[in-house]
Amino acid sequence: MTWETYLEEQQSRYQEELLQFLSIPSISALPAHADAVQQAARWVAVRPTSAGLENVQVLPTGGHPVVYGEWLHAPGKATVMIYGHFDTQPADPLDLWTSPPFEPEVRNDRVYARGASDDKGNMLIPILAVEALLQAEGALPVNVKFFLEGQEEIGSPQLSTLIASQRNLLACDLVLSADGGQYNEDQPALLIAFKGLAGAQIDVYGARTDLHSGLYGGAVANPIHALVFLLDSMRSPEGKILVEGFYDAVVPLSPEDRAAIAPIPFDEKTYKETIGVDALVAELGYTSPEHVAARPTLEVNGIWGGFQGEGIKTVLPHEAHAKITCRLVANQDPATIIDLITRHVERYTPPGVQVTVNPLPGAAKPYLIPVDHWGNRAAEAVHMEMYGKAPYFRRIGGSLPICELFLSLLGAYTVNFAFALPDEQQHAPNEFFRLSSFRHGQKAYGRLLHTLG
C-alpha cells in the first residue's frame, strides 16, 4: 500500500468527516457561537490525534483557542508547521442560501456549507495527507507541527501574544498555510505578498453647535470644507499619496517583480465591465495590476457630517468625520503610517477648526516572501508535477496578518499552499468547496512534504 492508494481508499470516510466538521457553526465573530468555536476546537484536536500526531493540545488564548499537534521524529530534517483555521464568517443573509449553511450538502461533487472553502475543507487536507503518510510509510519525510486557530475571521487578536509566549513549542523552519487557494482549476499560484493595514478616523470640530448658514456663513469655518480640504491634500489627482514620508520604507518593484506580475492575465475591458466603471486609475509609472498588487494605497472609506435628509437645511455643521484606511507594502509599519498622517493633518489643518486623528483597530503589517525562497521552490516543483505548468507568483491587496507574525516572532516564512478557488463564494451565501480540490490537495500535500524532505 502506498500513501496515495491509502488516500484513494479513504475518500468516502474523509468526505463524511468533512461534513461533520462543516456542521459545527463555529462563527468567531458572534458571542452566541463561542461554545461552537470551542466545539470545533475539540473536534479538530481529535482528528490529528487519530492521524498519528503527538502532543495534541488545545492552547487557550484569552479568546478563541488554537489547536497544536506535532510529529518530531525526523532527525536532521526541516521542521514544517502547517497553519489553518476552523472558525467561519457569519452566514447572513440566511434566505439567500439554497441549503442551510451548517447542514452541509453535496451537489455535483461540491460541498455547500459555510466554511467549506474558507477554511475547513482546506484545513482538513494536510491532516489527511499526514495520516496517509504515517499509515503507509510509518514516518513523515520532515518534522511536522500543526497550528490551527479559531479566530482568523476576526483578525486573530490574541495570537501575537500566544506565539510570543510559545516560541519554543512553535519553533519551525517553514510554515505552510492551508488558508488560501489557486488561480483556477488548471492554473496553480503561490501567494508571495499580502498588504498590511492601517486605519484612522479623522474628526473635525468647529463651532459648539450647528449654525445658521446665512448669519454665520463666510465668517465661521465649516468643518466639512476643512475635512474635504484635508483629505484632498493627501493625494494627487493621479493617485500619488502626498503625506510626507509615506513612501520612505516602501520596497520598490524590481524588474524581476514586474516580470512576475506581467504574465498574470488581466483583461482591462472585462475588469471594468464587471465592476461597472469606465476608466481605471493607477499611480503614474505603474499599471493597474502592479498598483493593486504591490503599491500602497490611502482610501477614504466613509465620510459624514451635516444635514443629509431630504430637501434643504441651510446649516453650517459643527462637526465632520471620515474613516480612512491604508493598504501597506513591505516594509511599511502601520503605527508609523498613522503617525505620518497625524502630522500631515496637523500641518494642513485650516484655521477655525480642531482636528483629531484616532487609529482604528485591525492594524496589520505587510508580508513578502522572496520568490526564490526554498519553500516556494519546493511548492513550485509540486505544482509543476501536479498541474503540468509553473505557478503564478502573486501579490494580493488583502491582508493575512498571521504570516508576518510567524516571520517576526518565529523567523519562519509562510508558503501559501491551499486549494480554494475564486468562485467558491467565500464570505457569501452558498459557499462551496470542490471535492475534486479536496482530493487533489491531499495528494499535493503528500508530495510537498516528500519534496521538502
Side-chain angles (χ1 to χ4, degrees):
M1 177 183 64
T2 68
W3 64 268
E4 289 180 299
T5 58
Y6 179 88
L7 285 174
E8 291 166 3
E9 292 171 0
Q10 302 301 317
Q11 285 310 306
S12 177
R13 175 168 68 93
Y14 288 169
Q15 182 174 312
E16 284 304 311
E17 290 177 340
L18 176 59
L19 299 183
Q20 292 172 18
F21 190 20
L22 292 171
S23 70
I24 304 172
S26 49
I27 304 170
S28 54
L30 302 180
H33 286 256
D35 287 345
V37 179
Q38 293 288 340
Q39 180 189 354
R42 291 191 295 271
W43 190 97
V44 170
V46 168
R47 194 59 189 83
T49 302
S50 64
L53 291 171
E54 302 163 348
N55 192 25
V56 176
Q57 52 187 299
V58 178
L59 302 176
T61 66
H64 300 308
V66 166
V67 176
Y68 172 85
E70 64 186 26
W71 188 94
L72 304 177
H73 303 291
K77 297 294 185 178
T79 297
V80 176
M81 187 158 70
I82 299 174
Y83 166 83
H85 68 90
F86 52 84
D87 63 319
T88 77
Q89 283 279 318
D92 307 273
L94 296 178
D95 60 323
L96 296 183
W97 285 80
T98 301
S99 54
F102 294 103
E103 296 178 20
E105 188 172 291
V106 176
R107 303 192 296 270
N108 300 318
D109 205 38
R110 299 174 172 187
V111 57
Y112 287 81
R114 170 57 84 231
S117 179
D118 181 23
D119 178 43
K120 289 180 177 178
N122 266 307
M123 194 211 81
L124 190 53
I125 284 171
I127 298 175
L128 305 179
V130 163
E131 176 181 283
L133 289 166
L134 288 173
Q135 286 291 326
E137 301 178 355
L140 299 179
V142 291
N143 300 293
V144 170
K145 298 179 178 182
F146 276 86
F147 184 99
L148 309 171
E149 64 152 313
Q151 50 182 264
E152 191 274 343
E153 298 291 5
I154 56 172
S156 306
Q158 280 89 25
L159 291 200
S160 60
T161 301
L162 174 71
I163 295 169
S165 68
Q166 297 284 355
R167 279 191 174 96
N168 290 336
L169 180 70
L170 302 175
C172 59
D173 300 300
L174 179 73
V175 180
L176 300 176
S177 174
D179 182 22
Q182 299 303 315
Y183 187 79
N184 59 37
E185 285 188 89
D186 302 314
Q187 174 62 57
L190 289 169
L191 301 180
I192 61 167
F194 301 96
K195 289 186 178 179
L197 182 67
Q201 180 167 315
I202 301 174
D203 302 303
V204 183
Y205 300 97
R208 280 194 295 270
T209 65
D210 290 355
L211 300 174
H212 187 297
S213 66
L215 298 179
Y216 293 94
V220 177
N222 184 323
I224 294 180
H225 284 304
L227 177 60
V228 170
F229 170 78
L230 284 170
L231 296 175
D232 188 57
S233 72
M234 295 180 186
R235 283 183 23 151
S236 74
E238 298 80 24
K240 183 178 180 181
I241 298 164
L242 302 178
V243 175
E244 186 174 342
F246 190 91
Y247 294 103
D248 286 357
V250 171
V251 176
L253 277 177
S254 68
E256 293 78 14
D257 294 330
R258 293 188 179 219
I261 294 171
I264 301 173
F266 179 73
D267 184 331
E268 182 172 330
K269 182 175 182 293
T270 301
Y271 186 87
K272 290 188 293 188
E273 289 174 352
T274 300
I275 59 177
V277 299
D278 59 8
L280 299 180
V281 297
E283 187 183 344
L284 192 64
Y286 298 91
T287 66
S288 293
E290 287 173 342
H291 204 294
V292 169
R295 293 294 288 174
T297 66
L298 187 156
E299 300 291 352
V300 180
N301 306 123
I303 183 167
W304 67 99
F307 178 66
Q308 297 171 52
E310 243 182 273
I312 186 171
K313 182 181 181 183
T314 53
V315 63
L316 196 160
H318 76 286
E319 61 183 86
H321 313 271
K323 290 181 187 288
I324 63 172
T325 54
C326 303
R327 294 287 182 172
L328 310 178
V329 300
N331 290 320
Q332 291 179 299
D333 174 70
T336 301
I337 292 300
I338 295 302
D339 183 56
L340 292 173
I341 289 172
T342 301
R343 293 184 198 175
H344 179 95
V345 167
E346 291 170 351
R347 188 177 302 118
Y348 285 89
T349 294
V353 296
Q354 291 78 46
V355 184
T356 61
V357 179
N358 296 299
L360 295 173
K365 291 185 178 180
Y367 171 76
L368 175 67
I369 179 174
V371 169
D372 61 355
H373 186 276
W374 56 271
N376 274 339
R377 291 308 181 200
E380 180 184 24
V382 172
H383 283 324
M384 285 285 292
E385 188 178 346
M386 301 276 300
Y387 290 88
K389 60 181 75 171
Y392 295 142
F393 289 91
R394 298 186 65 202
R395 301 167 180 244
I396 64 172
S399 302
L400 192 59
I402 194 70
C403 294
E404 194 282 330
L405 289 179
F406 287 142
L407 182 58
S408 61
L409 297 175
L410 301 179
Y413 279 104
T414 299
V415 171
N416 187 272
F417 200 73
F419 298 92
L421 295 176
D423 65 348
E424 290 178 342
Q425 298 290 100
Q426 294 187 8
H427 295 204
N430 298 310
E431 179 181 352
F432 69 93
F433 189 47
R434 288 171 171 83
L435 290 173
S436 58
S437 297
F438 184 59
R439 297 185 292 267
H440 175 92
Q442 295 164 35
K443 292 185 177 180
Y445 258 93
R447 293 186 187 188
L448 179 58
L449 292 176
H450 265 297
T451 300
L452 290 170

